[in-house]
């Protein structure tokens, strides 16, 4: 590398330096003015005999300072110039110019063009032809021509928002020269290595030029954003720079579609670091308004990063038909969904279990996706808002389960018509084997995913065959039955997984394909329900919509840009055919940025050249004059000399001493004297009653509004409370009557509800609160008191039975079955075979445990949770009711005190099952465990 030259514009003035010795002699003969001192009286006597002395010459250091000032002035007048441009060009061949005009040249393009113009001017003076090629142009005409033609081509060129294609430009130069050896070959480069195996210097040296020059800037403006990841709490931006010598902090601005900066962050580069990351902390709603990122102080296609709908994090609401078990989270319907979507979306959950309240609240938060795991029936009032939300662009994802399988046919929020009940694959009662997945269709969102070999489906809900079933199927099993179906509705869609969201029905939730399938469905959704339909969802190629300029601005001039292909053929970074910008339409578009996410800017490797390379700066740094700096330094030294002379002359001796600092006197703070006031009582009405009910277990019943029924219910629970106190260690407090429309229900493990056809029908809001209570883990025992034997109504239900059906029609209940003989309820405290009340003809209905039907275990209930619903018609409260003297209020039918005793024992088993369901289920296995331990 050549040393930078140094020259003078007027070297003849340097002759004046010979006068410096004369100046030195004159300064030595000119002493400074004596300093006068005022002595104290006592010192006068000591200095009476002393005579006044005057310095004979000035100090040597003051003389040297003045000599330096004179030398600086003489040198400055000579006009020193740093790096004067030489005009020597080789005349043994044509001048060849290879000019980078890619994205990194936008900041200093004028200087690069000026550099090329000076070289063309030198070639014109010497009559040398010029060959010029621009690396960021798709077509090249590098045939050597006169200087005027080269200058015209250069003036028509400009910086482009593209990555340079040097190989194509060098190939054009090789073809144009046709073996002619160039004289001077100047490569005006952006200084960036194009790839790990960049051979540009080797190929240029292979042309065997007489003079090879590399002209480049300092690389400070070569900075680019490579990726932006929208995390759960902030936006992480990664950038790369070319010049990594010093530490540097860069500000990255996030702008909306109108170009307004709405948030900012910082990217800190350490010394020697060329890749760094920074965060932009902003709320989720604000981050979804980001349309582009800009590095402050930089204006290029690399320092601008465009964002589209694929970048924005979706807000996903999760709803479940079962509250799950905190001690066994793997059995929760939402466990695998939460872990699959957490890295890609912002998950929200309802604050209350009441769907009639939680769904409208969730819709007000404008989610992109709502996921429902095994929810069969919804409250009647939420269907219309959900359908309107879907039509406006929302995506509803539903998962099957026992509740959905038992739901009535004709749900408008299911994409296909379902058969009631589920299909079991495998097991003793099924001829079919568990089915693997078929190949994913080429037209759905799962196109390109490999068919998983390790997933088997053991249970599913079936769709009724319809002419459009194949069009609505996104995934299916090997036997052709649908696994995932969809229905478009306005701007949104409803998607149904025909298996459950936990691993009891299939292996899909525990596979990696489950994560990818959910991610793709969520990415298809709109950012908000009012965003309109995404125009990029099903397109194969998108036309250019807005393209970036070399300064990082968007323009509607698309030029020769081609449509952007999607899918596997989509480019990871911009090309000549697809410049950086937005592709699509106003309704939906995809962003293509300049660099790939793993790109890194590295300096051009000059050591690979087999011949010497002369490295030169751009024209803006040539012939830097030093005269202004030297004169400024001389002026500063002159001011310093003047101050020294004034100090030595005593000019500062008569100034008053600095006044002592004044002492600040602080006044005492004003005491806020006010009479003591008692704190306002923040307790709400009814809190004292709630605190009283939290001190112990209370049995609760629903007040129906009929005095006779309510009085009988209270006496019945008083009788059961006394029996529990005498026979068990449980000592409940007095029973509580509940108004289900207003009272808090979560304090009670079980609520007894005597059904009366003549009582007022509960409101929809009250029934929805009961539904939420059951979802949260509570249990309701419905007693029709009419020996109910068939809740389906085939045998003709009584009036109370019809009232129960009307109540349950608005509650999402699971499938039911009579208590099996080996259920936990039959052995939670007493060993029972039936559950009588005043009557003995009605079975006790509980939640059916689907997985236990094909299990070889002796326990029907697995103990994973307590049944949220119990139904009987045996009038248990009537059998337990006692008057003030302890006598039964109502007789049993037939009259039998043993039946009443068994009814009390049934109540004890129910309470033990409510309070210790999981524990009691485990006790069944104790004999087998003791046998294995040899005890």
């Amino acid at each position: 590398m050549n040393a930078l030259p140094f020259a003078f514009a007027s070297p003849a003035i340097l002759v004046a330096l010979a006068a410096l010795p004369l100046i030195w002699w004159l300064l030595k003969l000119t002493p400074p003015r004596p300093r006068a001192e005022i002595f104290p009286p006592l010192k006068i006597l000591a200095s009476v005999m002393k005579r006044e002395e005057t310095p004979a010459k000035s100090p040597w250091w003051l003389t040297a300072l003045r000599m330096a000032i004179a030398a600086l002035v003489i040198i400055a007048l000579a006009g020193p110039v740093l790096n004067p441009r030489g005009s020597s060009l080789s005349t043994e061949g044509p001048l060849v110019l290879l000019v980078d005009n890619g994205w990194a040249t936008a900041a200093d393009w004028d200087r690069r063009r000026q550099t090329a113009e000076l070289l063309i001017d030198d070639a014109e003076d010497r009559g040398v032809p010029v060959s010029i090629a621009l690396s960021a142009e798709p077509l090249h005409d590098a045939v050597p021509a006169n200087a005027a033609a080269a200058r015209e081509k250069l003036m028509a060129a400009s910086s482009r928002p593209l990555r340079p294609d040097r190989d194509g430009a060098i190939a054009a130069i090789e073809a144009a020269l046709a073996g002619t050896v160039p004289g001077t070959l100047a490569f005006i480069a952006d200084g960036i290595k194009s790839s790990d195996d960049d051979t540009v210097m080797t190929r240029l040296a292979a042309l065997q030029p007489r003079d090879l020059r590399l002209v480049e800037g300092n690389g400070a403006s070569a900075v680019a954003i490579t990726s932006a990841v929208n995390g759960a709490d902030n936006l992480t931006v990664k950038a790369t720079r070319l010049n990594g010598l010093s530490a540097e902090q860069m500000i990255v601005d996030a702008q909306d579609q109108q170009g307004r900066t709405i948030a900012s962050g910082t990217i800190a580069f350490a010394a020697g670091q060329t890749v760094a990351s920074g965060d932009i902390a902003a709320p989720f709603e604000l981050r979804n308004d980001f349309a582009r990122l800009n590095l402050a102080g930089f204006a290029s296609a690399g320092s601008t990063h465009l964002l589209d709908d694929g970048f924005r994090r979706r807000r996903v609401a999760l709803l479940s038909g079962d509250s799950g078990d905190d001690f066994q989270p793997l059995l929760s319907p939402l466990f695998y969904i939460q872990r699959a979507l957490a890295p890609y979306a912002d998950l929200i959950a309802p604050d209350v279990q009441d769907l009639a309240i939680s769904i409208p609240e969730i819709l007000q938060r404008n989610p992109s996706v709502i996921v429902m795991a095994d929810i069969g029936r919804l409250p009647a009032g939420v269907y219309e808002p959900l359908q309107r939300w879907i039509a406006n662009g929302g995506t509803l994802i539903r998962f099957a389960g026992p509740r959905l399988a038992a739901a009535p046919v004709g749900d408008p929020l299911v994409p296909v018509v379902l058969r009631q009940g589920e299909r079991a694959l495998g097991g003793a009662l099924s001829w079919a084997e568990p089915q693997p997945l078929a190949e994913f269709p080429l037209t759905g969102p799962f196109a390109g995913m490999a068919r998983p070999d390790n997933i088997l489906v053991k249970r599913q809900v079936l769709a009724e065959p319809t002419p459009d079933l194949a069009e609505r199927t996104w995934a299916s099993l090997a036997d052709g039955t649908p696994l995932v179906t969809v229905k478009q509705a306005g701007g949104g869609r409803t998607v149904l997984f025909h298996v459950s969201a936990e691993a009891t029905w299939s292996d899909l939730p525990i596979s990696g394909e489950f994560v990818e399938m959910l991610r793709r469905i969520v990415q298809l959704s709109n950012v908000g329900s009012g965003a309109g339909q995404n125009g990029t969802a099903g397109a194969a190629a998108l036309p250019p919509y807005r393209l970036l300029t070399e300064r990082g601005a968007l323009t509607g001039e698309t030029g020769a840009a081609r449509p952007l292909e999607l899918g596997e053929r989509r480019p990871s970074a911009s090309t000549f055919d697809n410049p950086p910008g937005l592709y699509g339409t106003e309704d939906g578009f995809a962003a293509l940025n300049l660099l790939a996410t793993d790109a890194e800017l590295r300096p051009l490797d000059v050591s690979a050249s087999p011949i010497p390379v002369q490295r030169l700066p751009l024209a803006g740094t040539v012939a830097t004059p030093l005269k202004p700096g030297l004169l400024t330094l001389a002026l500063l030294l002159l001011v310093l000399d003047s101050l020294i002379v004034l100090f030595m002359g005593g000019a500062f001796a008569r100034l008053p001493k600095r006044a002592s600092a004044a002492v600040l006197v602080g006044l005492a703070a004003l005491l806020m004297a006010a009479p003591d006031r008692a704190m306002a009582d923040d307790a709400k009405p009814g809190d004292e009653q709630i605190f009283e009910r939290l001190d112990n277990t209370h049995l609760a019943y629903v007040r129906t509004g009929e005095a006779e029924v309510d009085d009988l219910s209270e006496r019945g629970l008083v009788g059961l409370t006394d029996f529990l106190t005498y026979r068990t260690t449980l000592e409940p407090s007095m029973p509580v009557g509940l108004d289900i429309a207003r009272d808090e229900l979560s304090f009670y493990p079980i609520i007894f509800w005597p059904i009366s056809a003549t009582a007022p029908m509960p409101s929809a809001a009250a029934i929805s609160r009961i539904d939420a209570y059951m979802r949260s883990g509570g249990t309701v025992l419905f007693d029709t008191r009419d020996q109910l034997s068939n809740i389906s109504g085939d045998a003709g239900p009584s009036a109370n039975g019809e009232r129960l059906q009307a109540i349950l029609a608005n509650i999402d209940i699971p499938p039911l079955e009579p208590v099996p003989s080996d259920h936990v309820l039959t052995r939670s405290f007493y060993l029972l075979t039936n559950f009588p009340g005043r009557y003995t003809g009605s079975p006790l209905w509980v939640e059916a445990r689907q997985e236990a039907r094909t299990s070889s275990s002796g326990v029907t209930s697995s103990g994973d949770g307590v049944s949220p619903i119990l139904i009987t018609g045996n009038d248990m409260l009537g059998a337990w009711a006692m008057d003030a003297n302890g006598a039964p209020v109502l007789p049993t039918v037939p009259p039998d005190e043993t039946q009443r005793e068994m009814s009390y024992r049934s109540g004890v088993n129910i309470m033990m099952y409510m309070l210790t369901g999981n524990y009691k289920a485990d006790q069944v296995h104790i004999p087998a465990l003791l046998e294995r331990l040899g005890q």
Side-chain angles (χ1 to χ4, degrees):
M1 183 175 68
N2 296 344
L4 297 178
F6 185 84
F8 290 91
S10 303
I13 299 180
L14 295 177
V15 178
L17 292 176
L20 288 180
L22 178 62
I23 298 174
W24 175 274
W25 181 74
L26 292 175
L27 293 176
K28 295 286 288 184
L29 295 179
T30 307
R33 178 178 178 272
R35 183 178 63 180
E37 295 184 359
I38 300 176
F39 295 95
L42 294 179
K43 288 187 177 182
I44 295 177
L45 295 177
S47 61
V48 167
M49 299 305 296
K50 291 183 179 180
R51 60 181 180 178
E52 183 178 356
E53 297 179 354
T54 301
K57 56 184 179 180
S58 63
W60 67 269
W61 51 268
L62 182 60
T63 303
L65 176 63
R66 292 171 176 175
M67 291 289 292
I69 295 174
L72 288 174
V73 172
I74 294 173
I75 296 175
L77 293 177
V81 177
L82 184 65
N83 300 327
R85 188 182 70 85
S87 60
S88 59
L89 285 181
S90 174
T91 58
E92 299 181 13
L95 170 65
V96 177
L97 293 177
L98 175 59
V99 182
D100 277 343
N101 63 328
W103 67 272
T105 64
D108 53 2
W109 172 248
D110 291 337
R111 292 170 55 195
R112 295 176 184 274
R113 184 166 54 187
Q114 181 183 357
T115 303
E117 287 178 352
L118 292 174
L119 292 172
I120 294 175
D121 292 342
D122 292 342
E124 187 176 25
D125 294 339
R126 288 162 176 77
V128 175
V130 180
S131 171
I132 183 171
L134 300 159
S135 61
E137 300 294 338
L139 300 177
H140 306 279
D141 181 12
V143 177
N146 55 41
R151 190 179 293 107
E152 183 180 354
K153 183 185 299 183
L154 179 64
M155 295 302 294
S158 63
S159 177
R160 300 285 300 275
L162 299 168
R163 295 175 297 163
D165 179 17
R166 295 168 181 159
D167 292 337
I170 295 176
I173 293 175
E174 292 172 345
L177 293 178
T180 302
V181 177
T184 297
L185 194 159
F187 178 24
I188 304 178
D190 58 14
I192 302 175
K193 194 175 184 180
S194 60
S195 62
D196 293 337
D197 55 348
D198 192 351
T199 60
V200 58
M201 297 307 299
T202 304
R203 296 188 62 183
L204 291 178
L207 297 175
Q208 300 179 352
R210 302 291 188 267
D211 178 19
L212 179 57
R213 301 180 183 182
L214 176 62
V215 185
E216 56 185 349
N218 59 7
S221 61
V223 181
I225 300 175
T226 56
S227 68
V229 179
N230 200 355
D233 300 320
N234 50 37
L235 175 68
T236 301
V237 184
K238 186 172 74 172
T240 178
R241 62 174 180 168
L242 180 62
N243 189 349
L245 296 180
S246 61
E248 186 178 10
Q249 282 194 348
M250 299 181 183
I251 297 176
V252 55
D253 294 329
Q255 299 178 347
D256 59 10
Q257 292 183 355
Q258 285 73 36
R260 298 170 297 190
T261 299
I262 54 180
S264 297
T266 302
I267 300 178
F269 288 90
Q273 187 180 16
T274 58
V275 177
S277 300
D279 295 332
I280 299 179
F284 163 77
E285 295 82 0
L286 192 62
R287 279 182 280 133
N288 273 355
D289 288 336
F290 294 172
R292 56 188 292 170
L293 305 174
N294 284 330
L295 291 175
F298 300 89
S300 69
S303 62
T304 300
H305 193 81
L306 300 176
L307 306 173
D308 54 18
D309 283 351
F311 147 83
R312 296 174 174 86
R313 288 177 67 88
R314 273 63 170 175
R315 171 172 289 169
V316 179
L318 303 181
L319 298 172
S320 173
D322 188 358
S323 61
D325 190 346
D326 293 338
F327 297 99
Q328 295 179 335
L330 296 180
L331 298 177
S332 171
L334 298 177
F335 178 82
Y336 298 104
I337 299 176
Q338 290 172 339
R339 277 148 183 80
L341 293 179
Y344 310 107
D346 285 300
L347 306 181
I348 58 176
D351 297 329
V352 294
Q353 291 294 329
D354 189 348
L355 295 181
I357 299 176
S358 60
I359 290 181
E361 291 181 350
I362 285 176
L363 293 179
Q364 289 181 357
R365 301 172 71 176
N366 196 25
S368 299
V369 180
I370 296 178
V371 180
M372 293 184 180
D374 190 21
I375 294 181
R377 302 175 184 175
L378 293 169
V382 303
Y383 279 97
E384 183 178 353
L386 278 174
Q387 290 174 315
R388 186 166 55 252
W389 170 78
I390 295 173
N392 289 334
T395 298
L396 174 64
I397 304 177
R398 302 190 66 173
F399 284 85
R403 286 179 171 83
L404 184 61
V409 178
D411 191 337
L413 297 180
V414 174
V416 294
V417 180
L418 297 178
R419 295 182 181 178
Q420 196 166 19
E422 71 273 5
R423 174 197 184 196
L425 302 173
L429 300 179
S430 176
W431 293 97
E433 295 294 333
Q435 291 292 312
L437 271 63
E439 295 287 347
F440 292 110
L442 299 178
T443 57
F446 310 140
M449 292 179 56
R451 183 181 68 86
D453 298 328
N454 56 345
I455 296 178
L456 292 177
V457 175
K458 300 180 287 292
R459 194 178 293 271
Q460 68 175 146
V461 291
L462 288 175
E464 292 286 354
T466 56
D468 60 347
L469 182 60
E471 299 177 0
R472 296 188 179 186
T473 301
W474 276 354
S476 59
L477 303 183
D479 61 0
T481 55
L483 176 67
V484 181
T485 54
V486 63
K487 181 179 71 173
Q488 292 289 144
R493 60 183 61 85
T494 302
V495 181
L496 171 65
F497 282 77
H498 290 242
V499 293
S500 62
E502 26 75 30
T504 57
W505 282 29
S506 70
D507 302 325
L508 180 62
I510 58 176
S511 66
E513 286 76 9
F514 184 71
V515 178
E516 181 64 15
M517 292 170 73
L518 281 181
R519 187 189 69 83
R520 293 193 180 196
I521 296 175
V522 171
Q523 286 300 108
L524 284 180
S525 65
N526 299 311
V527 177
S529 62
Q533 191 172 0
N534 190 344
T536 67
L542 302 176
Y545 171 55
R546 296 284 189 272
L547 298 183
L548 273 182
T549 65
E550 69 278 3
R551 306 294 293 181
L554 283 174
T555 178
E557 299 179 2
T558 58
R562 295 183 179 181
L564 177 67
E565 295 187 6
L566 302 180
E568 296 181 354
R569 303 180 62 181
R570 175 176 178 174
S572 59
S574 63
T575 63
F576 280 179
D577 292 335
N578 297 119
L582 303 176
Y583 290 80
T585 62
E586 184 179 1
D587 294 331
F589 47 78
L592 180 65
N593 288 292
L594 179 76
L595 301 179
T597 57
D598 57 348
E600 181 178 352
L601 300 184
R602 298 178 181 177
L604 189 65
D605 187 10
V606 184
S607 62
S609 175
I611 63 175
V613 179
Q614 183 181 3
R615 303 187 71 169
L616 300 173
L618 295 175
T621 58
V622 173
T624 303
L626 300 180
K627 181 178 180 179
L630 294 177
L631 290 177
T632 301
L633 180 59
L635 178 62
L636 293 177
L637 293 179
L638 181 61
V639 173
L640 178 62
D641 178 84
S642 302
L643 293 175
I644 292 175
V645 171
L646 291 175
F647 180 79
M648 295 177 66
F652 300 108
R654 296 179 177 85
L655 293 178
K657 296 183 179 180
R658 181 178 300 177
S660 59
V663 179
L664 298 179
V665 179
L667 298 177
L670 181 62
L671 298 178
M672 301 298 295
D676 295 337
R677 292 179 299 178
M679 295 181 62
D681 186 11
D682 294 333
K684 298 179 180 179
D687 284 355
E688 295 181 358
Q689 185 181 27
I690 292 177
F691 293 148
E692 292 177 357
R693 295 179 181 179
L694 289 175
D695 61 348
N696 202 347
T697 302
H698 293 262
L699 305 186
Y701 65 93
V702 174
R703 290 203 297 265
T704 62
E706 293 184 343
E708 182 179 355
V709 177
D710 295 343
D711 181 67
L712 186 64
S713 299
E714 182 179 8
R715 291 179 177 274
L717 292 186
V718 169
L720 180 59
T721 298
D722 294 341
F723 192 88
L724 287 168
T725 302
Y726 298 148
R727 299 290 185 92
T728 70
T729 57
L730 177 64
E731 299 180 0
S733 296
M734 294 302 295
V736 175
L738 298 177
D739 181 356
I740 59 175
R742 293 184 300 176
D743 293 339
E744 180 58 48
L745 309 179
S746 59
F747 302 143
Y748 313 101
I750 185 172
I751 298 175
F752 295 85
W753 191 338
I755 303 299
S756 176
T758 57
M761 178 67 183
S763 65
I767 296 177
S768 184
R769 297 187 76 227
I770 286 291
D771 187 17
Y773 166 77
M774 296 167 63
R775 293 177 188 275
S776 302
T779 299
V780 180
L781 188 151
F782 296 94
D783 194 339
T784 58
R785 304 175 298 156
D786 60 354
Q787 299 190 30
L788 181 64
S789 60
N790 190 344
I791 62 172
S792 64
D794 294 341
S798 63
N800 289 353
E802 292 178 351
R803 173 57 62 87
L804 176 62
Q805 288 183 352
I807 294 174
L808 296 183
N810 296 318
I811 298 179
D812 188 18
I813 63 173
L816 304 177
E817 65 179 355
V819 175
S821 59
D822 48 7
H823 196 277
V824 177
L825 268 171
T826 63
R827 60 190 74 189
S828 59
F829 194 86
Y830 294 104
L831 296 178
L832 301 177
T833 58
N834 61 352
F835 299 86
R838 290 185 61 212
Y839 316 108
T840 60
S842 173
L844 180 62
W845 295 82
V846 296
E847 179 184 5
R849 296 291 179 178
Q850 303 294 326
E851 66 275 10
R853 294 181 178 179
T854 57
S855 174
S856 59
S857 173
V859 182
T860 301
S861 176
S862 63
D864 295 332
V866 177
S867 175
I869 183 172
L870 302 175
I871 299 177
T872 185
N874 288 333
D875 193 9
M876 290 185 172
L877 292 173
W880 302 336
M882 296 290 176
D883 59 15
N885 298 323
V889 175
L890 298 175
T892 60
V893 180
D896 186 359
E897 289 306 313
T898 302
Q899 179 176 326
R900 193 184 303 276
E901 173 70 18
M902 299 306 294
S903 176
Y904 277 118
R905 294 187 179 186
S906 299
V908 172
N909 275 27
I910 291 173
M911 289 305 304
M912 293 301 172
Y913 174 60
M914 294 300 105
L915 299 176
T916 61
N918 293 339
Y919 167 76
K920 289 299 181 179
D922 295 337
Q923 303 312 299
V924 178
H925 301 286
I926 286 181
L929 295 175
L930 294 178
E931 182 179 355
R932 291 185 180 183
L933 294 174
Q935 299 179 5

